[in-house]
């Protein structure tokens, strides 16, 4: 309840898929998804944004779509590469970044989220398009095995603490209702 309060002024450009996460230690980590910009943080009680993760000017276009890992501090995000687009999922943990998944050229990835099933789920654009998963060890910050298709022709995965998966139908479809699906579809 109550009125919204300002946290911080935006003093940088916004791109196509900005987003942020509220960490367990009361920081808001934000990515503007604008070319040549990295990730910023601000104390949850307010203040000024400061850059915490810069793009690599040799390889990166921008960083976007952050989401939290179970420790409440480590962050999954997508790296949009200058030459190949958004095909890399990385983790920012303990002040360092680490590549955890890199799809083939042309295989764009979006919206990575951790699932309590022990997987990273993400949208993939090219056929077969949909939500994909890869086993992930949050302790070692490493994927295990090959990615696999979870649901075709959907995107924007969001996972609840109990493992419930919410997705959006692929753009261009007329489907506009919520539906409960089991693992068999």
């Amino acid at each position: 309840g109550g009125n919204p309060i300002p946290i911080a002024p935006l003093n940088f450009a916004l791109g196509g898929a900005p987003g942020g996460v509220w960490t367990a230690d009361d920081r808001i980590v934000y990515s503007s998804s604008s070319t040549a910009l990295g990730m910023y943080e601000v104390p949850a009680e307010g203040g000024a944004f400061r850059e915490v993760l810069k793009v690599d000017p040799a390889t990166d276009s921008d960083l976007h779509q952050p989401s939290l890992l179970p420790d409440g501090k480590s962050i999954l995000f997508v790296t949009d590469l200058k030459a190949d687009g958004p095909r890399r999922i990385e983790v920012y943990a303990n002040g360092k970044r680490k590549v955890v998944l890199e799809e083939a050229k042309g295989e764009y990835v979006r919206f990575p989220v951790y699932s309590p099933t022990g997987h990273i789920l993400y949208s993939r654009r090219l056929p077969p398009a949909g939500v994909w998963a890869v086993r992930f060890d949050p302790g070692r910050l490493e994927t295990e095995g090959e990615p696999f298709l979870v649901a075709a022709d959907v995107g924007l995965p969001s996972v609840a603490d109990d493992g419930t998966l919410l997705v959006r139908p692929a753009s261009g479809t007329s489907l506009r209702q919520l539906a409960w699906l089991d693992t068999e579809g």
Side-chain angles (χ1 to χ4, degrees):
N3 293 322
I5 59 168
I7 301 291
L10 289 178
N11 54 0
F12 40 79
L14 293 179
V21 293
W22 195 314
T23 65
D25 56 357
D26 281 333
R27 294 175 300 124
I28 296 173
V29 177
Y30 182 79
S31 169
S32 74
S33 187
S34 185
T35 301
L37 295 180
M39 283 197 283
Y40 297 80
E41 73 176 10
V42 64
E45 66 271 2
F49 279 105
R50 73 175 187 88
E51 193 170 33
V52 293
L53 184 58
K54 295 181 181 296
V55 296
D56 179 341
T59 59
D60 305 341
S61 177
D62 67 77
L63 312 176
H64 53 265
Q65 300 157 348
S67 68
L68 282 177
L69 286 174
D71 66 4
K73 295 183 246 177
S74 302
I75 299 170
L76 285 172
F77 63 95
V78 172
T79 303
D80 194 342
L81 301 173
K82 280 184 172 181
D84 301 327
R87 66 182 183 94
R88 184 183 287 166
I89 296 174
E90 296 191 50
V91 172
Y92 178 64
N94 302 314
K96 298 177 184 169
R97 65 191 271 191
K98 178 180 181 178
V99 176
V100 295
L101 179 74
E102 188 162 337
E103 289 279 9
K105 192 173 184 175
E107 300 279 354
Y108 290 8
V109 298
R110 303 234 185 248
F111 306 104
V113 293
Y114 179 78
S115 170
T117 61
H119 296 85
I120 293 174
L121 288 102
Y122 59 97
S123 295
R124 193 172 102 172
R125 185 182 71 159
L126 293 181
V131 171
W132 285 69
V134 65
R135 183 158 292 286
F136 181 73
D137 182 333
R140 293 184 307 134
L141 302 175
E142 293 180 3
T143 58
E144 301 169 350
E146 293 297 315
F148 57 92
L149 182 65
V150 173
D153 299 321
V154 296
L156 296 168
S158 180
V159 183
D161 290 341
D162 69 359
T164 301
L165 173 63
L166 181 67
V167 296
R168 183 188 78 183
S171 56
T173 67
S174 60
L175 183 60
R176 296 287 186 256
Q177 71 181 43
L178 290 175
W180 285 104
L181 301 175
D182 63 19
T183 55
E184 304 302 315

Coordinates of all heavy atoms in Angstrom, one line a residue, residues 74-148:
S74 N 23.6 -13.3 -6.8 CA 24.1 -13.6 -8.1 C 23.0 -13.4 -9.2 O 21.9 -13.7 -9.0 CB 24.6 -15.1 -8.2 OG 25.6 -15.3 -7.2
I75 N 23.5 -12.9 -10.4 CA 22.5 -12.4 -11.4 C 22.8 -13.1 -12.7 O 23.9 -13.0 -13.2 CB 22.6 -10.9 -11.5 CG1 22.2 -10.3 -10.2 CG2 21.7 -10.4 -12.6 CD1 22.5 -8.8 -10.1
L76 N 21.8 -13.7 -13.3 CA 21.8 -14.2 -14.7 C 21.5 -13.0 -15.6 O 20.7 -12.1 -15.2 CB 20.7 -15.2 -14.9 CG 20.9 -16.6 -14.4 CD1 19.6 -17.4 -14.6 CD2 22.0 -17.3 -15.1
F77 N 22.1 -12.9 -16.8 CA 21.7 -11.9 -17.7 C 22.1 -12.3 -19.1 O 22.9 -13.3 -19.3 CB 22.4 -10.6 -17.4 CG 23.9 -10.6 -17.4 CD1 24.6 -10.2 -18.5 CD2 24.7 -11.0 -16.3 CE1 26.0 -10.2 -18.6 CE2 26.0 -11.0 -16.3 CZ 26.7 -10.6 -17.5
V78 N 21.6 -11.6 -20.1 CA 21.9 -11.9 -21.5 C 22.9 -10.9 -22.0 O 22.8 -9.7 -21.7 CB 20.6 -11.8 -22.4 CG1 21.0 -11.9 -23.8 CG2 19.6 -12.9 -22.0
T79 N 23.9 -11.4 -22.7 CA 24.9 -10.5 -23.4 C 24.5 -10.4 -24.8 O 24.5 -11.5 -25.5 CB 26.3 -11.0 -23.2 OG1 26.6 -11.1 -21.8 CG2 27.3 -10.1 -23.8
D80 N 24.3 -9.2 -25.3 CA 24.1 -9.0 -26.7 C 25.4 -8.7 -27.3 O 26.1 -7.7 -27.1 CB 23.1 -7.8 -26.9 CG 22.6 -7.7 -28.3 OD1 23.1 -8.3 -29.2 OD2 21.6 -7.0 -28.4
L81 N 25.9 -9.7 -28.2 CA 27.2 -9.5 -28.8 C 27.2 -8.6 -30.0 O 26.2 -8.6 -30.7 CB 27.8 -10.9 -29.2 CG 27.9 -11.9 -28.0 CD1 28.2 -13.3 -28.5 CD2 28.9 -11.4 -27.0
K82 N 28.2 -7.8 -30.2 CA 28.3 -6.9 -31.3 C 28.1 -7.6 -32.6 O 27.4 -7.1 -33.5 CB 29.7 -6.2 -31.3 CG 29.8 -5.0 -30.4 CD 31.1 -4.3 -30.5 CE 31.2 -3.1 -29.7 NZ 32.4 -2.4 -29.9
A83 N 28.8 -8.7 -32.8 CA 28.7 -9.4 -34.1 C 27.6 -10.4 -34.3 O 27.1 -10.6 -35.4 CB 30.1 -10.1 -34.4
D84 N 27.1 -10.9 -33.2 CA 26.2 -12.1 -33.3 C 24.8 -11.9 -32.6 O 24.1 -12.8 -32.6 CB 26.9 -13.3 -32.8 CG 28.1 -13.7 -33.5 OD1 28.2 -13.4 -34.7 OD2 29.0 -14.2 -32.9
G85 N 24.6 -10.8 -31.9 CA 23.3 -10.6 -31.2 C 23.3 -11.3 -29.9 O 24.3 -11.7 -29.3
P86 N 22.1 -11.3 -29.3 CA 21.9 -11.9 -27.9 C 21.9 -13.4 -27.9 O 20.9 -14.0 -27.8 CB 20.6 -11.3 -27.5 CG 19.8 -11.2 -28.8 CD 20.8 -10.8 -29.8
R87 N 23.1 -14.0 -27.8 CA 23.1 -15.4 -27.8 C 23.9 -16.0 -26.7 O 24.2 -17.2 -26.6 CB 23.7 -16.0 -29.2 CG 25.1 -15.6 -29.5 CD 25.5 -16.1 -30.8 NE 26.9 -15.9 -31.1 CZ 27.9 -16.8 -30.9 NH1 27.6 -17.9 -30.4 NH2 29.1 -16.5 -31.2
R88 N 24.2 -15.2 -25.7 CA 25.1 -15.6 -24.6 C 24.3 -15.3 -23.2 O 23.8 -14.2 -23.1 CB 26.4 -14.9 -24.6 CG 27.4 -15.3 -23.5 CD 28.6 -14.5 -23.5 NE 29.4 -14.9 -24.7 CZ 30.5 -14.2 -25.1 NH1 30.8 -13.1 -24.5 NH2 31.2 -14.6 -26.1
I89 N 24.3 -16.3 -22.3 CA 23.8 -16.1 -21.0 C 25.0 -16.2 -20.1 O 25.8 -17.1 -20.1 CB 22.7 -17.2 -20.6 CG1 21.5 -17.1 -21.5 CG2 22.3 -17.0 -19.1 CD1 20.5 -18.2 -21.3
E90 N 25.1 -15.2 -19.2 CA 26.2 -15.1 -18.2 C 25.6 -14.9 -16.8 O 24.4 -14.7 -16.6 CB 27.1 -13.9 -18.6 CG 27.7 -14.0 -19.9 CD 28.8 -12.9 -20.1 OE1 29.7 -12.7 -19.2 OE2 28.8 -12.3 -21.2
V91 N 26.5 -15.1 -15.9 CA 26.2 -14.9 -14.5 C 27.2 -13.8 -14.0 O 28.4 -13.8 -14.3 CB 26.4 -16.1 -13.6 CG1 26.3 -15.9 -12.1 CG2 25.4 -17.2 -14.0
Y92 N 26.7 -12.9 -13.2 CA 27.5 -11.9 -12.4 C 27.4 -12.3 -11.0 O 26.3 -12.3 -10.3 CB 27.0 -10.5 -12.7 CG 27.7 -9.4 -11.9 CD1 29.0 -9.2 -12.2 CD2 27.1 -8.7 -10.9 CE1 29.7 -8.2 -11.5 CE2 27.8 -7.7 -10.3 CZ 29.1 -7.4 -10.6 OH 29.8 -6.5 -9.9
A93 N 28.6 -12.7 -10.4 CA 28.6 -13.2 -9.0 C 30.0 -12.8 -8.4 O 31.0 -12.9 -9.1 CB 28.4 -14.7 -8.9
N94 N 29.9 -12.3 -7.2 CA 31.2 -12.0 -6.5 C 32.1 -11.0 -7.3 O 33.3 -11.2 -7.3 CB 32.0 -13.3 -6.1 CG 31.1 -14.2 -5.3 OD1 30.5 -13.8 -4.3 ND2 31.1 -15.5 -5.6
G95 N 31.4 -10.1 -8.0 CA 32.2 -9.1 -8.7 C 32.8 -9.5 -10.0 O 33.5 -8.8 -10.6
K96 N 32.4 -10.7 -10.5 CA 32.9 -11.3 -11.7 C 31.8 -11.8 -12.6 O 30.8 -12.2 -12.1 CB 33.9 -12.4 -11.5 CG 35.1 -12.0 -10.7 CD 36.0 -13.2 -10.4 CE 37.1 -12.8 -9.5 NZ 37.9 -13.9 -9.0
R97 N 32.0 -11.8 -13.9 CA 31.1 -12.3 -14.8 C 31.6 -13.6 -15.4 O 32.8 -13.8 -15.6 CB 30.7 -11.3 -15.9 CG 31.8 -10.9 -16.8 CD 31.3 -9.7 -17.7 NE 30.7 -10.1 -18.9 CZ 30.4 -9.3 -19.9 NH1 30.8 -8.0 -19.8 NH2 29.8 -9.7 -21.0
K98 N 30.7 -14.5 -15.7 CA 31.1 -15.8 -16.2 C 30.0 -16.3 -17.3 O 28.8 -16.2 -17.0 CB 31.1 -16.8 -15.1 CG 31.5 -18.2 -15.5 CD 31.5 -19.1 -14.2 CE 31.8 -20.6 -14.6 NZ 31.9 -21.4 -13.5
V99 N 30.5 -16.7 -18.4 CA 29.6 -17.3 -19.5 C 29.1 -18.7 -19.0 O 29.9 -19.5 -18.6 CB 30.3 -17.4 -20.8 CG1 29.4 -18.1 -21.8 CG2 30.8 -16.1 -21.3
V100 N 27.8 -18.9 -19.0 CA 27.3 -20.2 -18.6 C 26.6 -20.9 -19.8 O 26.4 -22.1 -19.7 CB 26.3 -20.1 -17.4 CG1 27.1 -19.7 -16.2 CG2 25.1 -19.2 -17.6
L101 N 26.2 -20.1 -20.8 CA 25.6 -20.8 -22.0 C 25.9 -19.9 -23.2 O 25.6 -18.6 -23.1 CB 24.1 -21.0 -21.8 CG 23.4 -21.6 -23.0 CD1 23.7 -23.1 -23.1 CD2 21.9 -21.3 -22.9
E102 N 26.3 -20.4 -24.3 CA 26.5 -19.7 -25.5 C 25.9 -20.5 -26.6 O 26.4 -21.6 -26.9 CB 27.9 -19.3 -25.8 CG 28.1 -18.4 -27.0 CD 29.4 -17.7 -27.0 OE1 30.1 -17.6 -26.0 OE2 29.8 -17.3 -28.1
E103 N 24.8 -20.0 -27.2 CA 24.1 -20.7 -28.3 C 24.9 -20.4 -29.6 O 25.7 -19.5 -29.7 CB 22.7 -20.2 -28.4 CG 21.8 -20.7 -27.3 CD 21.3 -22.1 -27.5 OE1 21.8 -22.8 -28.4 OE2 20.4 -22.5 -26.7
A104 N 24.6 -21.2 -30.6 CA 25.2 -21.0 -31.9 C 24.8 -19.7 -32.5 O 23.8 -19.1 -32.2 CB 24.8 -22.2 -32.9
K105 N 25.6 -19.2 -33.5 CA 25.4 -18.0 -34.2 C 24.0 -18.0 -34.7 O 23.6 -19.0 -35.4 CB 26.4 -17.8 -35.3 CG 26.4 -16.4 -35.9 CD 27.6 -16.3 -36.8 CE 27.6 -14.8 -37.3 NZ 28.8 -14.6 -38.2
G106 N 23.2 -17.0 -34.5 CA 21.8 -16.9 -35.0 C 20.8 -17.4 -34.0 O 19.6 -17.2 -34.2
E107 N 21.2 -18.1 -33.0 CA 20.3 -18.6 -32.0 C 20.0 -17.6 -30.9 O 20.7 -17.8 -29.8 CB 20.8 -20.0 -31.4 CG 21.0 -21.0 -32.4 CD 19.7 -21.8 -32.8 OE1 18.7 -21.5 -32.2 OE2 19.8 -22.6 -33.7
Y108 N 19.2 -16.6 -31.0 CA 19.1 -15.6 -30.0 C 18.4 -16.1 -28.8 O 17.4 -16.9 -28.9 CB 18.2 -14.5 -30.6 CG 18.9 -13.6 -31.7 CD1 20.1 -14.0 -32.2 CD2 18.3 -12.5 -32.1 CE1 20.8 -13.2 -33.1 CE2 18.9 -11.7 -33.1 CZ 20.1 -12.1 -33.6 OH 20.8 -11.3 -34.6
V109 N 18.9 -15.7 -27.6 CA 18.3 -16.1 -26.3 C 17.8 -14.9 -25.6 O 18.4 -13.8 -25.8 CB 19.3 -16.9 -25.5 CG1 19.8 -18.2 -26.1 CG2 20.5 -16.1 -25.1
R110 N 16.8 -15.1 -24.8 CA 16.2 -14.0 -24.1 C 15.6 -14.5 -22.7 O 15.3 -15.6 -22.6 CB 15.1 -13.4 -24.8 CG 15.4 -12.9 -26.2 CD 15.0 -11.4 -26.4 NE 15.3 -11.0 -27.7 CZ 16.2 -10.1 -28.0 NH1 17.0 -9.5 -27.1 NH2 16.4 -9.6 -29.2
F111 N 15.5 -13.6 -21.8 CA 14.8 -13.8 -20.5 C 15.2 -15.0 -19.7 O 14.4 -15.9 -19.4 CB 13.3 -13.7 -20.7 CG 12.9 -12.5 -21.5 CD1 12.5 -12.6 -22.8 CD2 12.8 -11.3 -20.8 CE1 12.1 -11.4 -23.5 CE2 12.4 -10.2 -21.5 CZ 12.1 -10.2 -22.8
P112 N 16.5 -15.2 -19.3 CA 16.9 -16.3 -18.6 C 16.4 -16.2 -17.1 O 16.4 -15.1 -16.5 CB 18.4 -16.3 -18.6 CG 18.7 -14.8 -18.7 CD 17.6 -14.2 -19.6
V113 N 15.9 -17.3 -16.6 CA 15.4 -17.4 -15.2 C 15.9 -18.7 -14.6 O 15.9 -19.7 -15.3 CB 13.9 -17.2 -15.0 CG1 13.5 -15.8 -15.4 CG2 13.1 -18.2 -15.8
Y114 N 16.1 -18.7 -13.3 CA 16.5 -20.0 -12.7 C 15.2 -20.7 -12.2 O 14.3 -20.0 -11.7 CB 17.4 -19.7 -11.5 CG 17.8 -21.0 -10.7 CD1 18.7 -21.9 -11.2 CD2 17.1 -21.3 -9.6 CE1 19.0 -23.0 -10.6 CE2 17.4 -22.5 -8.9 CZ 18.4 -23.4 -9.4 OH 18.7 -24.5 -8.8
S115 N 15.1 -22.0 -12.3 CA 14.0 -22.8 -11.9 C 14.4 -23.6 -10.7 O 15.5 -24.1 -10.7 CB 13.5 -23.7 -13.0 OG 12.6 -24.6 -12.5
P116 N 13.6 -23.8 -9.7 CA 13.9 -24.6 -8.5 C 14.1 -26.1 -8.9 O 14.5 -26.9 -8.1 CB 12.8 -24.4 -7.5 CG 11.7 -23.9 -8.3 CD 12.3 -23.1 -9.5
T117 N 13.8 -26.4 -10.2 CA 14.1 -27.8 -10.6 C 15.6 -28.0 -10.9 O 16.0 -29.1 -11.2 CB 13.3 -28.1 -11.9 OG1 13.7 -27.1 -12.9 CG2 11.8 -27.9 -11.7
G118 N 16.4 -26.9 -10.8 CA 17.8 -27.0 -11.1 C 18.1 -26.7 -12.5 O 19.1 -27.2 -13.1
H119 N 17.4 -25.8 -13.2 CA 17.6 -25.5 -14.6 C 17.6 -24.0 -14.8 O 17.0 -23.3 -14.0 CB 16.5 -26.1 -15.5 CG 16.4 -27.6 -15.5 ND1 15.7 -28.3 -14.5 CD2 16.9 -28.5 -16.3 CE1 15.9 -29.6 -14.8 NE2 16.6 -29.7 -15.9
I120 N 18.2 -23.5 -15.8 CA 18.0 -22.2 -16.3 C 17.0 -22.4 -17.5 O 17.2 -23.2 -18.4 CB 19.3 -21.6 -16.9 CG1 20.3 -21.3 -15.8 CG2 19.0 -20.3 -17.6 CD1 21.6 -20.8 -16.3
L121 N 15.9 -21.6 -17.4 CA 15.0 -21.6 -18.5 C 15.2 -20.3 -19.3 O 15.5 -19.2 -18.7 CB 13.5 -21.7 -18.0 CG 13.2 -23.0 -17.5 CD1 13.2 -23.0 -16.0 CD2 11.8 -23.5 -18.0
Y122 N 15.0 -20.3 -20.6 CA 15.2 -19.1 -21.4 C 14.4 -19.2 -22.7 O 14.0 -20.3 -23.1 CB 16.6 -18.8 -21.7 CG 17.3 -20.0 -22.4 CD1 17.5 -19.9 -23.8 CD2 17.8 -21.1 -21.8 CE1 18.1 -20.9 -24.5 CE2 18.5 -22.1 -22.5 CZ 18.6 -22.0 -23.8 OH 19.2 -23.0 -24.5
S123 N 14.1 -18.1 -23.3 CA 13.4 -18.0 -24.6 C 14.5 -18.2 -25.7 O 15.6 -17.6 -25.6 CB 12.7 -16.7 -24.8 OG 11.6 -16.6 -23.9
R124 N 14.2 -18.9 -26.7 CA 15.0 -19.0 -27.9 C 14.2 -18.7 -29.1 O 13.1 -19.2 -29.3 CB 15.6 -20.4 -28.0 CG 16.8 -20.4 -29.0 CD 17.5 -21.7 -28.9 NE 17.0 -22.6 -30.0 CZ 17.6 -23.7 -30.4 NH1 18.6 -24.2 -29.6 NH2 17.1 -24.4 -31.4
R125 N 14.7 -17.9 -30.0 CA 13.9 -17.4 -31.1 C 13.8 -18.3 -32.3 O 12.8 -18.4 -33.0 CB 14.5 -16.0 -31.5 CG 13.7 -15.3 -32.6 CD 14.3 -14.0 -33.0 NE 15.5 -14.3 -33.8 CZ 16.1 -13.5 -34.6 NH1 15.6 -12.3 -34.7 NH2 17.1 -13.8 -35.3
L126 N 14.9 -18.9 -32.7 CA 14.9 -19.7 -34.0 C 14.4 -21.1 -33.8 O 14.4 -21.6 -32.7 CB 16.3 -19.7 -34.5 CG 16.9 -18.4 -35.0 CD1 18.3 -18.5 -35.6 CD2 16.0 -17.7 -36.0
P127 N 13.9 -21.7 -34.8 CA 13.3 -23.0 -34.7 C 14.2 -24.1 -34.1 O 15.4 -24.1 -34.5 CB 13.0 -23.4 -36.2 CG 12.9 -22.0 -36.9 CD 13.9 -21.2 -36.2
P128 N 13.7 -24.9 -33.3 CA 12.3 -24.8 -32.8 C 12.3 -23.7 -31.7 O 12.9 -23.8 -30.6 CB 12.0 -26.1 -32.2 CG 13.3 -26.7 -31.8 CD 14.3 -26.1 -32.8
A129 N 11.5 -22.6 -31.9 CA 11.4 -21.5 -31.0 C 10.6 -21.9 -29.8 O 9.7 -22.8 -29.9 CB 10.7 -20.3 -31.7
G130 N 10.8 -21.3 -28.7 CA 10.1 -21.6 -27.5 C 10.9 -21.4 -26.2 O 11.9 -20.7 -26.3
V131 N 10.4 -22.0 -25.2 CA 11.2 -21.9 -23.9 C 12.1 -23.2 -23.8 O 11.6 -24.3 -24.0 CB 10.2 -21.8 -22.7 CG1 11.0 -22.0 -21.4 CG2 9.5 -20.5 -22.7
W132 N 13.3 -22.9 -23.6 CA 14.3 -24.0 -23.5 C 14.9 -24.1 -22.1 O 14.7 -23.1 -21.3 CB 15.5 -23.7 -24.5 CG 15.1 -24.0 -25.9 CD1 14.2 -23.3 -26.7 CD2 15.6 -25.1 -26.7 NE1 14.1 -23.9 -27.9 CE2 15.0 -25.0 -27.9 CE3 16.5 -26.1 -26.5 CZ2 15.2 -25.9 -29.0 CZ3 16.8 -27.0 -27.5 CH2 16.1 -26.9 -28.7
A133 N 15.5 -25.2 -21.7 CA 16.1 -25.4 -20.4 C 17.4 -26.1 -20.5 O 17.6 -26.8 -21.5 CB 15.1 -26.2 -19.5
V134 N 18.3 -25.8 -19.6 CA 19.5 -26.5 -19.4 C 19.8 -26.7 -17.9 O 19.5 -25.7 -17.1 CB 20.7 -25.7 -20.1 CG1 21.0 -24.4 -19.5 CG2 21.9 -26.6 -20.2
R135 N 20.2 -27.8 -17.5 CA 20.5 -28.1 -16.1 C 21.6 -27.1 -15.7 O 22.5 -26.8 -16.4 CB 21.0 -29.5 -15.9 CG 21.2 -29.8 -14.4 CD 21.1 -31.3 -14.1 NE 19.8 -31.9 -14.3 CZ 18.8 -31.7 -13.4 NH1 18.9 -30.9 -12.4 NH2 17.7 -32.3 -13.6
F136 N 21.5 -26.6 -14.4 CA 22.4 -25.6 -13.9 C 22.7 -25.8 -12.5 O 21.8 -26.1 -11.7 CB 21.8 -24.2 -14.1 CG 22.6 -23.1 -13.6 CD1 23.8 -22.7 -14.3 CD2 22.3 -22.4 -12.5 CE1 24.6 -21.7 -13.9 CE2 23.1 -21.3 -12.0 CZ 24.2 -21.0 -12.8
D137 N 24.0 -25.8 -12.1 CA 24.4 -25.9 -10.7 C 24.7 -24.5 -10.2 O 25.7 -23.9 -10.5 CB 25.6 -26.8 -10.6 CG 26.1 -27.0 -9.2 OD1 25.9 -26.2 -8.3 OD2 26.8 -28.1 -9.0
P138 N 23.8 -24.0 -9.3 CA 24.0 -22.6 -8.8 C 25.2 -22.5 -7.9 O 25.7 -21.4 -7.7 CB 22.7 -22.3 -8.1 CG 22.1 -23.6 -7.8 CD 22.6 -24.6 -8.8
G139 N 25.7 -23.6 -7.3 CA 26.8 -23.5 -6.4 C 28.1 -23.4 -7.2 O 29.0 -22.6 -6.9
R140 N 28.2 -24.1 -8.4 CA 29.4 -24.0 -9.2 C 29.2 -23.0 -10.3 O 30.2 -22.7 -11.1 CB 29.7 -25.4 -9.8 CG 30.1 -26.4 -8.8 CD 30.5 -27.8 -9.4 NE 29.4 -28.3 -10.3 CZ 29.6 -28.7 -11.5 NH1 30.8 -28.8 -12.1 NH2 28.6 -29.2 -12.3
L141 N 28.0 -22.5 -10.5 CA 27.7 -21.5 -11.6 C 28.0 -22.1 -12.9 O 28.7 -21.5 -13.8 CB 28.4 -20.2 -11.4 CG 28.0 -19.5 -10.0 CD1 28.9 -18.2 -9.9 CD2 26.6 -19.2 -9.9
E142 N 27.6 -23.4 -13.2 CA 27.9 -24.1 -14.4 C 26.7 -24.8 -14.9 O 25.9 -25.4 -14.1 CB 29.1 -25.0 -14.2 CG 30.4 -24.4 -13.9 CD 31.5 -25.3 -13.7 OE1 31.3 -26.6 -13.9 OE2 32.6 -24.9 -13.4
T143 N 26.5 -24.9 -16.2 CA 25.5 -25.7 -16.8 C 26.0 -27.1 -17.0 O 27.2 -27.4 -17.0 CB 25.1 -25.2 -18.2 OG1 26.2 -25.1 -19.1 CG2 24.5 -23.8 -18.1
E144 N 25.1 -28.0 -17.1 CA 25.4 -29.5 -17.2 C 24.5 -30.0 -18.3 O 23.3 -29.9 -18.3 CB 25.1 -30.2 -15.9 CG 25.9 -29.6 -14.7 CD 25.5 -30.2 -13.4 OE1 24.4 -30.9 -13.3 OE2 26.2 -29.9 -12.4
G145 N 25.1 -30.7 -19.3 CA 24.3 -31.3 -20.4 C 23.9 -30.3 -21.4 O 24.4 -29.2 -21.5
E146 N 23.1 -30.8 -22.3 CA 22.6 -30.0 -23.5 C 21.3 -29.4 -23.2 O 20.4 -30.0 -22.5 CB 22.5 -30.9 -24.7 CG 23.8 -31.5 -25.2 CD 24.7 -30.4 -25.7 OE1 24.3 -29.5 -26.4 OE2 25.9 -30.4 -25.3
P147 N 21.0 -28.2 -23.7 CA 19.7 -27.5 -23.6 C 18.7 -28.4 -24.3 O 18.9 -29.1 -25.3 CB 19.9 -26.2 -24.3 CG 21.4 -26.0 -24.4 CD 22.0 -27.3 -24.4
F148 N 17.4 -28.3 -23.8 CA 16.3 -29.0 -24.4 C 15.1 -28.2 -24.4 O 14.9 -27.3 -23.6 CB 16.0 -30.4 -23.7 CG 15.8 -30.2 -22.2 CD1 14.5 -30.1 -21.7 CD2 16.8 -30.2 -21.3 CE1 14.2 -29.9 -20.4 CE2 16.6 -30.0 -19.9 CZ 15.2 -29.9 -19.5

